[in-house]
């Protein structure tokens, strides 16, 4: 919700800048950084909640089913989040 509001606020700020200004105008420059930071926080939170849910289901089902393992799914989820987060951090740092 906050990320959407930031995206809308950034778009409004871009639309109010005069055509002769560049994209790094003072009224616009902070909106993309705020958006990417909030995206990073949302991504981390969602991945952490999904990882916890998968881990909990695996620990509960291991008592019933001896062959079920969701560890590869958990590893792929955490690794993909780490890669995406690394790209977002680079994007934030270079903006």
């Amino acid at each position: 919700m906050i990320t959407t509001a930031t995206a809308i606020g950034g778009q409004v700020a871009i639309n109010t800048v005069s055509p002769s200004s560049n994209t790094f105008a003072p009224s616009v420059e902070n909106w993309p950084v705020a958006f990417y930071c909030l995206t990073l926080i949302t991504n981390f939170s969602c991945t952490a909640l999904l990882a916890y849910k998968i881990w909990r289901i695996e620990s509960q089902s291991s008592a019933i089913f001896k062959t079920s393992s969701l560890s590869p799914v958990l590893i792929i989820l955490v690794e993909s989040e780490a890669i995406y987060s690394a790209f977002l951090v680079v994007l934030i740092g270079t903006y």
Side-chain angles (χ1 to χ4, degrees):
M1 185 82 137
I2 295 172
T3 305
T4 304
T6 306
I8 291 170
Q11 189 62 40
V12 169
I14 289 171
N15 290 338
T16 58
V17 173
S18 68
S20 61
S21 296
N22 63 10
T23 43
F24 296 104
S27 63
V28 178
E29 68 182 345
N30 293 329
W31 287 102
V33 175
F35 176 76
Y36 292 132
C37 287
L38 289 170
T39 301
L40 182 65
I41 292 167
T42 303
N43 182 42
F44 179 74
S45 301
C46 290
T47 303
L49 290 171
L50 281 170
Y52 173 73
K53 180 79 170 175
I54 292 170
W55 174 76
R56 199 172 117 227
I57 288 172
E58 181 180 3
S59 65
Q60 290 174 349
S61 66
S62 65
I64 300 169
F65 305 109
K66 301 298 181 197
T67 59
S68 175
S69 178
L70 295 173
S71 294
V73 175
L74 185 61
I75 291 169
I76 290 170
L77 179 74
V78 171
E79 285 178 352
S80 65
E81 187 271 335
I83 292 169
Y84 182 67
S85 294
F87 282 119
L88 276 176
V89 167
V90 169
L91 180 65
I92 293 166
T94 59
Y95 185 79

